Amino acid sequence: MTSAPSPAGTTPTDPFELAARAAARLAERTGAGTHDVALVLGSGWAAAADRLGETVAQFPATELPGFSAPAVVGHAGLVRSIAVAREGGAPLRALVLPRTHVYEGRGVRAVAHGVRVAAAAGCRTVVLTNGCGGLDPAVPPGSPVLVADHLNLTGESPLEGATFVDMTDLYSSRLRALARRVDPDLPEGVYAQFRGPQYETPAEVRMAGVLGAQLVGMSTGLEAVAARHAGLEVLGFSLVTNLAAGVGGEPLSHEEVLQAGREAAPRCAALLAGVVPLL
């Protein structure tokens, strides 16, 4: 696997040591010794943070070791600590973290850094969300979909050396059942992560479909593997922002993805606002 380059004459920082340093700084900035659940909010999902509860602290992720400024339009690059009220129970402390994509060229350690910080901060659960292309015309743009499993087509792994981790039920069936308590009609599908940044070709989309995918995108899978390795239970949601290349017959654009995300934001926010207090 690739990792972030180090200055000449130095050795790479251990990724778990870096995550621990970031978690310690996070505790200082938020006043919270621990967090319960982490969220990574992809295209179409960012507005959900405003619905979760009271924001106790918010600041640029670059104030924590290991994070860089966002490289993608539509991604805020902020860390938020939110107090989430629960019926009949103590509030949850939710941690919203930004995302680094593998195509940004910062190395797979940077991609996995957020979920490793979440684990070091005490989180038991991580909710990974994304905007994606859909392969099923019956699931139109604007539809949230539960991620049931993934195909990693990036050629990368966040695990280093002889690190063997079971991926059975990676996207927790228990947590998916909780999500269906909020929306019983949620479809689910297999997400294929490509490296990007180019959108998938029609042939690649057909290949993904033959391999069993219903969703295609450029994130989430590598984060989920790192989260499982770090001991987190994973819940995944995709928002279909467009029909994938060759499915809808129209050219793809990043603006189309952003516009679909804006239109679906209220539905996505309501879904997460209902799910997170159950975690």
Side-chain angles (χ1 to χ4, degrees):
M1 80 165 244
T2 59
S3 59
S6 300
T10 68
T11 56
T13 301
D14 177 86
F16 298 97
E17 175 190 334
L18 185 62
R21 286 169 44 205
R25 178 65 177 144
L26 174 72
E28 293 174 1
R29 288 291 279 108
T30 63
T34 188
H35 285 78
D36 303 295
V37 57
L39 299 99
V40 180
L41 301 177
S43 299
W45 296 93
D50 295 329
R51 291 281 303 273
L52 294 177
E54 179 190 357
T55 295
V56 178
Q58 175 175 293
F59 53 90
T62 50
E63 294 187 16
L64 301 181
F67 286 100
S68 301
V72 182
V73 174
H75 292 256
L78 297 175
V79 171
R80 291 176 72 166
S81 180
I82 301 173
V84 180
R86 290 194 297 173
E87 238 181 88
L92 286 173
R93 186 62 76 96
L95 175 63
V96 179
L97 292 164
R99 163 173 283 144
T100 298
H101 298 80
V102 69
Y103 59 71
E104 295 176 38
R106 295 170 177 161
V108 183
R109 286 184 174 183
V111 174
H113 183 57
V115 296
R116 287 172 174 157
V117 171
C123 294
R124 306 180 305 273
T125 306
V126 63
V127 181
L128 302 174
T129 70
N130 61 67
C132 74
L135 275 65
D136 184 353
V139 182
S143 301
V145 180
L146 280 168
V147 179
D149 206 343
H150 79 238
L151 298 167
N152 176 8
L153 303 180
T154 68
E156 301 279 6
S157 172
L159 308 183
E160 304 179 33
T163 305
F164 306 112
V165 181
D166 176 48
M167 293 291 122
T168 306
D169 198 34
L170 172 58
Y171 297 89
S172 168
S173 56
R174 184 186 76 84
L175 297 183
R176 298 204 312 271
L178 289 180
R180 287 200 181 87
R181 285 171 52 184
V182 176
D183 185 346
D185 297 324
L186 275 174
E188 70 175 33
V190 174
Y191 177 91
Q193 182 180 354
F194 287 81
R195 184 182 182 92
Q198 72 281 352
Y199 290 109
E200 303 78 19
T201 68
E204 288 169 339
V205 170
R206 290 195 299 273
M207 174 191 73
V210 169
L211 292 175
Q214 292 79 41
L215 312 162
V216 293
M218 305 173 197
S219 68
T220 302
L222 296 176
E223 293 164 327
V225 172
R228 165 60 66 86
H229 178 234
L232 298 173
E233 194 172 12
V234 179
L235 177 62
F237 289 103
S238 289
L239 170 66
V240 177
T241 55
N242 56 275
L243 293 177
V247 177
E250 298 295 328
L252 306 182
S253 73
H254 189 53
E255 179 52 41
E256 175 190 19
V257 170
L258 295 177
Q259 180 60 32
R262 287 190 288 267
E263 293 173 358
R267 183 178 180 186
C268 293
L271 175 60
L272 286 188
V275 170
V276 170
L278 302 177
L279 300 178

